[in-house]
Amino acid sequence: MLIEIRKKALTIESVYSDGGPAVETPLLSAVAYAVVKNPFAGKYEPNLIDFMKALRSVGLDLATQLAQTLGKDAVEAYGKAAIVGVNGEAEHGAVWHEAGGWAMREVLGNPKAMVPASQVTASAGFRLIMPLHYIHASYVRSHFNSIEVGAVDSPRPDELLFALGMATGGRLHSRLGGLLKEEVSAHDGQR
């Protein structure tokens, strides 16, 4: 199945302080997205598997771009998001769960933690908050974070915006306890 991409973008955020003392090395968070034509906009399609599989190439491209931008070994947090144009349905965005999640795991050496996600059906210009968390264990509280996703002109009614996000660490001034990344021991993606 051919994936028609109208545009792609990459944004990087560098945070030096979040109310506490400035840090020497900023927290880097980045989002890469692709706006693609929704081949099923306005109609019901019972089989979305081929579309989901074809989107793996888009996921691999975005994940590779993020890992190269931030440095693969520096990535500690990840997430994914989808904005479905108003002529689509939620399931059209849900195809990104497998395609985007698989791609990030493939590029980052197969971390075990689930990839958190958000999705919505909305008009062009909608801003969605993508959750991020630690790549090796879902319960590392310091890495529960988020980053904004969206584009002024996207998605158009018959489009989908698929996004991946990565970050080089957790919240800058995390001090709320919980499981620390240094304490991760089970290597099952949970604790």
Short mmCIF file of all heavy atoms in Angstrom, two decimals, residues 30-66:
data_model
loop_
_atom_site.label_atom_id
_atom_site.label_comp_id
_atom_site.label_asym_id
_atom_site.label_seq_id
_atom_site.Cartn_x
_atom_site.Cartn_y
_atom_site.Cartn_z
N ALA A 30 12.15 16.22 21.42
CA ALA A 30 11.92 16.44 20.00
C ALA A 30 10.69 15.68 19.54
O ALA A 30 10.37 14.60 20.06
CB ALA A 30 13.14 15.99 19.20
N VAL A 31 10.01 16.26 18.57
CA VAL A 31 8.86 15.63 17.93
C VAL A 31 9.10 15.63 16.42
O VAL A 31 9.51 16.65 15.85
CB VAL A 31 7.56 16.41 18.22
CG1 VAL A 31 6.41 15.89 17.36
CG2 VAL A 31 7.20 16.33 19.68
N ALA A 32 8.86 14.50 15.80
CA ALA A 32 8.88 14.40 14.34
C ALA A 32 7.51 13.91 13.92
O ALA A 32 6.94 13.01 14.54
CB ALA A 32 9.97 13.43 13.87
N TYR A 33 6.96 14.54 12.88
CA TYR A 33 5.65 14.09 12.41
C TYR A 33 5.61 14.04 10.90
O TYR A 33 6.39 14.68 10.21
CB TYR A 33 4.51 14.93 12.97
CG TYR A 33 4.41 16.35 12.46
CD1 TYR A 33 3.93 16.63 11.18
CD2 TYR A 33 4.75 17.42 13.28
CE1 TYR A 33 3.82 17.93 10.72
CE2 TYR A 33 4.65 18.73 12.83
CZ TYR A 33 4.17 18.97 11.55
OH TYR A 33 4.06 20.27 11.10
N ALA A 34 4.66 13.24 10.41
CA ALA A 34 4.36 13.16 8.99
C ALA A 34 2.85 13.35 8.82
O ALA A 34 2.06 12.78 9.59
CB ALA A 34 4.79 11.81 8.41
N VAL A 35 2.48 14.15 7.84
CA VAL A 35 1.07 14.34 7.50
C VAL A 35 0.83 13.51 6.24
O VAL A 35 1.47 13.74 5.22
CB VAL A 35 0.76 15.82 7.25
CG1 VAL A 35 -0.70 15.99 6.82
CG2 VAL A 35 1.04 16.64 8.52
N VAL A 36 -0.07 12.54 6.37
CA VAL A 36 -0.31 11.61 5.26
C VAL A 36 -1.78 11.64 4.84
O VAL A 36 -2.67 11.96 5.64
CB VAL A 36 0.10 10.16 5.63
CG1 VAL A 36 1.53 10.09 6.11
CG2 VAL A 36 -0.82 9.58 6.68
N LYS A 37 -2.00 11.28 3.59
CA LYS A 37 -3.37 11.17 3.08
C LYS A 37 -4.04 9.99 3.77
O LYS A 37 -3.45 8.91 3.90
CB LYS A 37 -3.35 10.95 1.57
CG LYS A 37 -4.73 10.83 0.98
CD LYS A 37 -4.69 10.66 -0.52
CE LYS A 37 -6.13 10.54 -1.00
NZ LYS A 37 -6.22 10.51 -2.43
N ASN A 38 -5.28 10.19 4.20
CA ASN A 38 -6.07 9.12 4.79
C ASN A 38 -6.84 8.42 3.67
O ASN A 38 -7.82 8.95 3.17
CB ASN A 38 -7.03 9.68 5.83
CG ASN A 38 -7.81 8.59 6.53
OD1 ASN A 38 -7.82 7.44 6.11
ND2 ASN A 38 -8.50 8.95 7.61
N PRO A 39 -6.41 7.22 3.27
CA PRO A 39 -7.09 6.54 2.16
C PRO A 39 -8.50 6.08 2.49
O PRO A 39 -9.25 5.67 1.60
CB PRO A 39 -6.17 5.35 1.87
CG PRO A 39 -5.47 5.08 3.16
CD PRO A 39 -5.31 6.43 3.82
N PHE A 40 -8.89 6.15 3.76
CA PHE A 40 -10.19 5.66 4.18
C PHE A 40 -11.10 6.78 4.70
O PHE A 40 -12.14 6.51 5.28
CB PHE A 40 -10.02 4.59 5.26
CG PHE A 40 -9.04 3.52 4.86
CD1 PHE A 40 -7.86 3.35 5.56
CD2 PHE A 40 -9.28 2.71 3.76
CE1 PHE A 40 -6.94 2.38 5.19
CE2 PHE A 40 -8.37 1.74 3.37
CZ PHE A 40 -7.20 1.57 4.08
N ALA A 41 -10.71 8.02 4.49
CA ALA A 41 -11.52 9.15 4.96
C ALA A 41 -12.90 9.09 4.32
O ALA A 41 -13.04 8.88 3.12
CB ALA A 41 -10.83 10.46 4.62
N GLY A 42 -13.92 9.23 5.15
CA GLY A 42 -15.29 9.27 4.66
C GLY A 42 -15.91 7.94 4.32
O GLY A 42 -17.04 7.88 3.83
N LYS A 43 -15.19 6.84 4.57
CA LYS A 43 -15.77 5.53 4.29
C LYS A 43 -15.27 4.52 5.31
O LYS A 43 -14.21 4.68 5.90
CB LYS A 43 -15.42 5.07 2.87
CG LYS A 43 -13.92 4.89 2.63
CD LYS A 43 -13.63 4.53 1.19
CE LYS A 43 -12.14 4.45 0.96
NZ LYS A 43 -11.80 4.22 -0.42
N TYR A 44 -16.05 3.49 5.51
CA TYR A 44 -15.68 2.43 6.44
C TYR A 44 -14.87 1.37 5.70
O TYR A 44 -15.29 0.86 4.67
CB TYR A 44 -16.91 1.79 7.07
CG TYR A 44 -16.56 0.67 8.02
CD1 TYR A 44 -16.13 0.95 9.30
CD2 TYR A 44 -16.61 -0.66 7.60
CE1 TYR A 44 -15.78 -0.09 10.17
CE2 TYR A 44 -16.26 -1.69 8.45
CZ TYR A 44 -15.85 -1.40 9.74
OH TYR A 44 -15.49 -2.41 10.58
N GLU A 45 -13.71 1.06 6.25
CA GLU A 45 -12.87 0.00 5.69
C GLU A 45 -12.68 -1.06 6.76
O GLU A 45 -12.11 -0.77 7.83
CB GLU A 45 -11.52 0.57 5.26
CG GLU A 45 -10.47 -0.46 4.90
CD GLU A 45 -10.91 -1.43 3.81
OE1 GLU A 45 -11.40 -0.99 2.77
OE2 GLU A 45 -10.75 -2.66 4.02
N PRO A 46 -13.13 -2.30 6.54
CA PRO A 46 -13.02 -3.33 7.57
C PRO A 46 -11.60 -3.82 7.82
O PRO A 46 -11.30 -4.30 8.91
CB PRO A 46 -13.90 -4.46 7.05
CG PRO A 46 -14.04 -4.24 5.59
CD PRO A 46 -13.89 -2.76 5.37
N ASN A 47 -10.70 -3.68 6.84
CA ASN A 47 -9.34 -4.19 7.01
C ASN A 47 -8.32 -3.04 6.98
O ASN A 47 -8.03 -2.49 5.92
CB ASN A 47 -9.02 -5.20 5.90
CG ASN A 47 -7.61 -5.74 6.02
OD1 ASN A 47 -6.90 -5.51 7.00
ND2 ASN A 47 -7.18 -6.48 5.01
N LEU A 48 -7.79 -2.71 8.14
CA LEU A 48 -6.79 -1.64 8.24
C LEU A 48 -5.37 -2.19 8.44
O LEU A 48 -4.42 -1.43 8.58
CB LEU A 48 -7.14 -0.70 9.40
CG LEU A 48 -8.47 0.03 9.28
CD1 LEU A 48 -8.75 0.84 10.54
CD2 LEU A 48 -8.51 0.91 8.04
N ILE A 49 -5.22 -3.49 8.42
CA ILE A 49 -3.93 -4.13 8.70
C ILE A 49 -2.87 -3.75 7.66
O ILE A 49 -1.73 -3.44 8.01
CB ILE A 49 -4.08 -5.66 8.80
CG1 ILE A 49 -5.05 -6.05 9.93
CG2 ILE A 49 -2.72 -6.33 9.01
CD1 ILE A 49 -4.62 -5.64 11.32
N ASP A 50 -3.22 -3.77 6.40
CA ASP A 50 -2.23 -3.43 5.36
C ASP A 50 -1.76 -1.98 5.51
O ASP A 50 -0.58 -1.68 5.33
CB ASP A 50 -2.80 -3.65 3.96
CG ASP A 50 -3.02 -5.12 3.66
OD1 ASP A 50 -2.37 -5.98 4.32
OD2 ASP A 50 -3.83 -5.42 2.77
N PHE A 51 -2.68 -1.09 5.84
CA PHE A 51 -2.33 0.31 6.07
C PHE A 51 -1.38 0.42 7.26
O PHE A 51 -0.36 1.11 7.21
CB PHE A 51 -3.61 1.13 6.30
CG PHE A 51 -3.41 2.60 6.44
CD1 PHE A 51 -2.62 3.33 5.55
CD2 PHE A 51 -4.03 3.30 7.47
CE1 PHE A 51 -2.46 4.70 5.68
CE2 PHE A 51 -3.87 4.66 7.61
CZ PHE A 51 -3.08 5.37 6.71
N MET A 52 -1.70 -0.27 8.34
CA MET A 52 -0.86 -0.26 9.54
C MET A 52 0.55 -0.76 9.21
O MET A 52 1.54 -0.15 9.60
CB MET A 52 -1.49 -1.13 10.63
CG MET A 52 -0.71 -1.17 11.93
SD MET A 52 -1.54 -2.18 13.17
CE MET A 52 -1.28 -3.83 12.51
N LYS A 53 0.64 -1.84 8.47
CA LYS A 53 1.96 -2.39 8.11
C LYS A 53 2.73 -1.42 7.22
O LYS A 53 3.94 -1.25 7.37
CB LYS A 53 1.80 -3.74 7.41
CG LYS A 53 1.38 -4.85 8.36
CD LYS A 53 1.20 -6.16 7.61
CE LYS A 53 0.77 -7.27 8.54
NZ LYS A 53 0.53 -8.54 7.81
N ALA A 54 2.06 -0.78 6.27
CA ALA A 54 2.73 0.17 5.37
C ALA A 54 3.25 1.37 6.14
O ALA A 54 4.28 1.96 5.77
CB ALA A 54 1.76 0.61 4.27
N LEU A 55 2.59 1.74 7.22
CA LEU A 55 3.02 2.89 8.01
C LEU A 55 4.31 2.63 8.79
O LEU A 55 4.92 3.57 9.31
CB LEU A 55 1.91 3.33 8.97
CG LEU A 55 0.77 4.08 8.31
CD1 LEU A 55 -0.40 4.22 9.27
CD2 LEU A 55 1.23 5.46 7.82
N ARG A 56 4.73 1.38 8.88
CA ARG A 56 5.99 1.09 9.56
C ARG A 56 7.15 1.85 8.93
O ARG A 56 8.06 2.29 9.62
CB ARG A 56 6.28 -0.41 9.55
CG ARG A 56 5.49 -1.19 10.56
CD ARG A 56 5.89 -2.64 10.52
NE ARG A 56 5.46 -3.33 11.73
CZ ARG A 56 6.00 -4.44 12.17
NH1 ARG A 56 7.00 -5.01 11.50
NH2 ARG A 56 5.56 -5.01 13.27
N SER A 57 7.13 2.03 7.61
CA SER A 57 8.22 2.77 6.95
C SER A 57 8.22 4.23 7.38
O SER A 57 9.28 4.83 7.56
CB SER A 57 8.12 2.64 5.43
OG SER A 57 6.94 3.27 4.96
N VAL A 58 7.05 4.81 7.56
CA VAL A 58 6.95 6.19 8.04
C VAL A 58 7.48 6.26 9.47
O VAL A 58 8.26 7.15 9.82
CB VAL A 58 5.49 6.71 7.98
CG1 VAL A 58 5.37 8.09 8.58
CG2 VAL A 58 4.99 6.69 6.54
N GLY A 59 7.06 5.31 10.31
CA GLY A 59 7.55 5.27 11.69
C GLY A 59 9.05 5.12 11.76
O GLY A 59 9.72 5.81 12.55
N LEU A 60 9.59 4.24 10.95
CA LEU A 60 11.04 4.01 10.95
C LEU A 60 11.79 5.28 10.54
O LEU A 60 12.80 5.63 11.14
CB LEU A 60 11.37 2.85 10.01
CG LEU A 60 12.71 2.17 10.21
CD1 LEU A 60 12.89 1.67 11.63
CD2 LEU A 60 12.85 1.02 9.22
N ASP A 61 11.28 5.98 9.56
CA ASP A 61 11.89 7.23 9.12
C ASP A 61 11.88 8.27 10.24
O ASP A 61 12.90 8.90 10.55
CB ASP A 61 11.17 7.75 7.88
CG ASP A 61 11.72 9.07 7.39
OD1 ASP A 61 12.95 9.19 7.23
OD2 ASP A 61 10.92 10.01 7.16
N LEU A 62 10.73 8.46 10.88
CA LEU A 62 10.61 9.46 11.95
C LEU A 62 11.46 9.08 13.16
O LEU A 62 12.15 9.92 13.74
CB LEU A 62 9.15 9.64 12.36
CG LEU A 62 8.18 10.15 11.29
CD1 LEU A 62 6.77 10.22 11.84
CD2 LEU A 62 8.63 11.49 10.73
N ALA A 63 11.42 7.81 13.55
CA ALA A 63 12.19 7.36 14.70
C ALA A 63 13.69 7.50 14.46
O ALA A 63 14.44 7.91 15.35
CB ALA A 63 11.84 5.91 15.04
N THR A 64 14.12 7.17 13.26
CA THR A 64 15.54 7.30 12.92
C THR A 64 15.97 8.76 12.97
O THR A 64 17.03 9.10 13.51
CB THR A 64 15.80 6.72 11.52
OG1 THR A 64 15.45 5.33 11.54
CG2 THR A 64 17.26 6.87 11.11
N GLN A 65 15.15 9.63 12.44
CA GLN A 65 15.45 11.06 12.46
C GLN A 65 15.57 11.58 13.90
O GLN A 65 16.50 12.32 14.23
CB GLN A 65 14.36 11.82 11.70
CG GLN A 65 14.65 13.29 11.52
CD GLN A 65 13.58 13.98 10.69
OE1 GLN A 65 12.45 13.50 10.56
NE2 GLN A 65 13.92 15.12 10.13
N LEU A 66 14.66 11.17 14.76
CA LEU A 66 14.71 11.59 16.16
C LEU A 66 15.96 11.06 16.87
O LEU A 66 16.64 11.80 17.58
CB LEU A 66 13.45 11.11 16.91
CG LEU A 66 12.17 11.85 16.60
CD1 LEU A 66 10.98 11.08 17.14
CD2 LEU A 66 12.20 13.26 17.15
#
